[in-house]
Amino acid sequence: MTEWASKKYNEYYTAYVPWLEDKYLAWFGENKTSYTAKEQLDKTKLTNDPSLNATQDGINTGVSGQLKSGGLLGGVGDIVSKEGVNRAERGDSGLGEKEVVEEGKGKGKGKGWLG
């Protein structure tokens, strides 16, 4: 019984937590790509000077803001967030069994998506 419950919990966790994270970040106008970019840029303080740090924080916010849903690169940020980050968190390659082409078959060389 506990093995079944643990398996079901893990299935639902991997299915719904990425969706919940996306909804939470969307509430603030963010996606996982813009949030991660801002988080990583905030770790790169160049000096201990408060005025330079404030300038750097403004630049970091501007750069990561371009990846937000309404930013210049918002479409890229949304796609990378949904198709890249979420799939990586789930361990999903994005290729179903029917979509994988074996080497030497189909339109392309090697493995890939059917188009």
Side-chain angles (χ1 to χ4, degrees):
M1 176 70 175
T2 57
E3 185 176 320
W4 176 85
S6 176
K7 182 180 176 185
K8 285 296 177 187
Y9 172 81
N10 289 332
E11 286 176 11
Y12 285 114
Y13 184 87
T14 17
Y16 290 107
V17 168
W19 178 81
L20 287 170
E21 290 170 343
D22 287 338
K23 292 299 176 189
Y24 178 78
L25 289 171
W27 184 266
F28 297 103
E30 298 264 358
N31 56 41
K32 288 182 181 176
T33 307
S34 65
Y35 181 78
T36 303
K38 184 177 181 191
E39 190 176 69
Q40 293 303 314
L41 288 170
D42 284 344
K43 292 179 183 178
T44 59
K45 296 293 181 198
L46 299 176
T47 66
N48 290 330
D49 184 13
S51 62
L52 286 176
N53 284 342
T55 303
Q56 186 179 359
D57 288 342
I59 293 169
N60 293 351
T61 302
V63 169
S64 65
Q66 296 306 310
L67 294 168
K68 288 183 178 183
S69 294
L72 184 63
L73 297 171
V76 173
D78 290 339
I79 289 172
V80 169
S81 179
K82 181 178 179 185
E83 300 297 330
V85 178
N86 283 347
R87 285 187 177 176
E89 288 175 344
R90 291 191 311 251
D92 181 10
S93 67
L95 299 174
E97 289 180 25
K98 294 180 181 178
E99 295 171 316
V100 175
V101 179
E102 293 194 25
E103 196 161 321
K105 296 181 182 177
K107 297 179 184 177
K109 296 179 182 177
K111 293 186 178 182
W113 294 5
L114 287 176

